[in-house]
Amino acid sequence: TRYDPRLSAAEVIFDEEKHIRKVEAILSIDRGSPVVARADDRDFRPALDKVVEKLSKQLRRTRDQVVDHQSPPLSADVLEEE
């Protein structure tokens, strides 16, 4: 809920192929598209850290877009300064 209070579920998938560890995370958001991030590394922990970083960026970007749409029009700011 840090980035989006509508977050309803999270699914994290760990996969191993030879010497590569893969992590995929899918976040379900009510009334929104799911947020998906994937990463791979030689160990699970660095791969998971990369996925968390990618998800944070995506959720922050989504939140900022919503906030920008709710901001007052530029003309209202100009009128208040005069």
Side-chain angles (χ1 to χ4, degrees):
T1 62
R2 178 177 177 183
Y3 296 106
D4 195 332
R6 300 174 302 146
L7 183 64
S8 61
E11 179 180 358
V12 182
I13 302 165
F14 293 89
D15 190 22
E16 186 174 6
E17 294 180 8
K18 294 187 181 182
H19 301 292
I20 302 293
R21 306 323 189 255
K22 298 181 179 186
V23 178
E24 177 181 14
I26 304 167
L27 302 181
S28 300
I29 299 175
D30 293 339
R31 300 179 313 272
S33 300
V35 179
V36 179
R38 296 176 186 88
D40 53 44
D41 206 300
R42 297 186 73 184
D43 294 314
F44 280 120
R45 184 61 193 203
L48 182 61
D49 290 341
K50 290 177 186 177
V51 167
V52 169
E53 185 176 326
K54 289 179 180 183
L55 289 171
S56 294
K57 284 181 183 180
Q58 289 180 34
L59 290 171
R60 194 175 315 114
R61 193 176 312 128
T62 302
R63 183 195 63 206
D64 291 346
Q65 288 174 351
V66 170
V67 171
D68 287 345
H69 287 284
Q70 295 176 353
S71 64
L74 182 59
S75 59
D77 291 338
V78 173
L79 292 174
E80 288 177 6
E81 291 178 4
E82 292 179 356

